[in-house]
Amino acid sequence: MRILLPNNQLAPIADLLSEMSLKPAASRARTKLLHLVREANIRFAADEYDLVCQYALLDSAGKPVIDPGGTFSLADPVKAQEFFTARSELFESVAEVSGPTYTGHLTDLKTLLDNFDNELSGAAAEAFDVLVDATTMALTKEVSDS
């Protein structure tokens, strides 16, 4: 199975999926996707950390120096805009959420999402919208590739 999701939506989608109360069959489809989304989010976090390490003031161990407020300082403040542009590009880029699951998983996800009946608002509503669009696109591609 393969779904493309924006990096900046991985955590909200993982939160949405983990909070869904579902019947067993739908829960299985959701849980398999949740594991894949969490793996993609770990890769994204590692990419973000690597980016920070490229621009941050580093300690003797090569790790970013974090101040008491939880932020880091840029090693070269002149490169602030360059860092923020690179970070924005990373957050807006698309993550491939893929892995072996089971035959019909995308169809089950589409059905699960189409039948999901809980009220959503805020970040959960946005995550749901992104997930529905991505699942629909992946399912369409899967059908056209067959």
Side-chain angles (χ1 to χ4, degrees):
M1 186 199 67
R2 179 177 183 258
I3 296 177
L4 301 176
L5 297 169
N7 278 323
N8 64 356
Q9 287 296 314
L10 292 171
I13 288 171
D15 292 343
L16 169 71
L17 292 170
S18 67
E19 295 298 319
M20 289 179 161
S21 293
L22 302 166
K23 301 281 185 191
S27 179
R28 178 174 182 249
R30 177 269 321 268
T31 299
K32 299 240 181 253
L33 176 60
L34 179 56
H35 289 297
L36 296 175
V37 170
R38 285 180 174 157
E39 288 173 7
N41 198 37
I42 288 168
R43 290 189 305 271
F44 168 59
D47 289 344
E48 184 180 17
Y49 182 78
D50 289 345
L51 179 66
V52 167
C53 288
Q54 291 176 26
Y55 289 90
L57 184 62
L58 303 177
D59 65 16
S60 60
K63 297 184 182 212
V65 176
I66 306 298
D67 68 25
T71 60
F72 65 92
S73 296
L74 294 174
D76 183 356
V78 173
K79 293 188 175 185
Q81 188 56 48
E82 182 180 319
F83 167 74
F84 289 119
T85 299
R87 186 174 182 271
S88 179
E89 288 171 0
L90 176 63
F91 270 68
E92 293 170 11
S93 66
V94 175
E96 180 177 322
V97 176
S98 63
T101 54
Y102 61 89
T103 304
H105 188 201
L106 276 172
T107 302
D108 288 351
L109 286 172
K110 180 74 170 114
T111 301
L112 173 162
L113 295 169
D114 287 346
N115 294 327
F116 189 67
D117 199 13
N118 292 17
E119 291 183 14
L120 299 168
S121 63
E126 186 175 345
F128 184 83
D129 183 54
V130 168
L131 185 56
V132 168
D133 288 348
T135 303
T136 301
M137 188 179 305
L139 191 54
T140 302
K141 181 165 178 29
E142 184 178 86
V143 169
S144 71
D145 288 348
S146 298

